[in-house]
Every structure is written in structure tokens, then in C-alpha cells.
Amino acid sequence: MRLTRQTNYAMRILMYCAANTDRLSRIPEIAAAYSVSELFLFKILQPLVEHGLVETVRGRNGGVRLGRPAESITLFDVVRVTEESFAMAECFENDAAECPLVDSCALNSSLREALNAFFAVLERYTIADMVAARPNVRHLLGIDMLVQRAPAA
């Protein structure tokens, strides 16, 4: 099973926001932290907003923040929102090729079991877990430098 680049960066956006609880996160800052284009991140942001994983705040001082606590956003939540298909084999798809074993195939049931195990593991981990796993995540993402440069209110 290989996750798409969109899923990878969706998780990274959420991790950035979870590490940056002091203020709103801005897409240009997130893009710079991960060395990707802002346009790419804006495309990924849309499904995250639609499913309540991220909130946007418009205006001059706008940005993005988590739509709910990082502790309640599982990796499976992100995968479910960003991945289009979980078909591990052709026979998982609705328009599967004709196969005489389709109704009693051990391969199909084994792959389905493996996929369910994969989902179960993703369900056990949250965005908060990902951020807590690296105590220096704020420094690695450059968030501490942004906070230091921010003008006093």
C-alpha cells in the first residue's frame, strides 16, 4: 500500500498546525517549511477544510488552524479524506475483470484483511502523537524562528 503525496502533505499540514498552537499557521510558512509549492498545499487544504480537519481564517492576519484537537484527529481520518481508492488489487474495484474465483478467492480476502489491519493501525495514532514523537518539531519546522521574528502586539 502506498499513500499519495497529497496524503503525506495533508498529514504534514496538520502536524505543522498542531505544533504551532500559539498562532494561526500560514500556507507560505508551511510551504517553506516543507519546501513545496503554496499552490500544491492550497489544493490539499480543500478536502481538509470540507471535512472539518482544518479551519481557515480569512483576512490580513488570517491563516489556518486545526478544526478539532490534534488528539482527536487520527491518521486514518486523514487517509480517508485524502485517498481516492483503497483497491489493492483489480478485483477490489467495482468494474473488476472477470475472474472465476471472484466470489471465493482467498487472495481477495487476504488482501482485504491486510487492508483492514493497515486501517486499524492508522486509527491508533493521532496527529498529536506525531508531533509529540519529536519534541523539537517546532524548531525543525522553523516555527520558533517565526515566533521570535513576530512583532510584539
Side-chain angles (χ1 to χ4, degrees), residues 11-22:
M11 290 183 189
R12 292 178 189 217
I13 289 170
L14 295 170
M15 289 170 60
Y16 188 100
C17 291
N20 188 28
T21 56
D22 301 339

Side-chain angles (χ1 to χ4, degrees), residues 82-127:
T82 56
E83 289 292 323
E84 289 184 25
S85 172
F86 298 106
M88 293 181 68
E90 187 177 7
C91 54
F92 275 54
E93 298 170 4
N94 290 339
D95 59 346
E98 292 297 316
C99 175
L101 302 176
V102 75
D103 292 328
S104 61
C105 181
L107 175 62
N108 187 309
S109 63
S110 299
L111 291 176
R112 196 165 306 283
E113 182 181 348
L115 184 61
N116 288 335
F118 176 68
F119 291 157
V121 170
L122 292 178
E123 190 68 43
R124 289 195 335 239
Y125 294 95
T126 67
I127 294 299

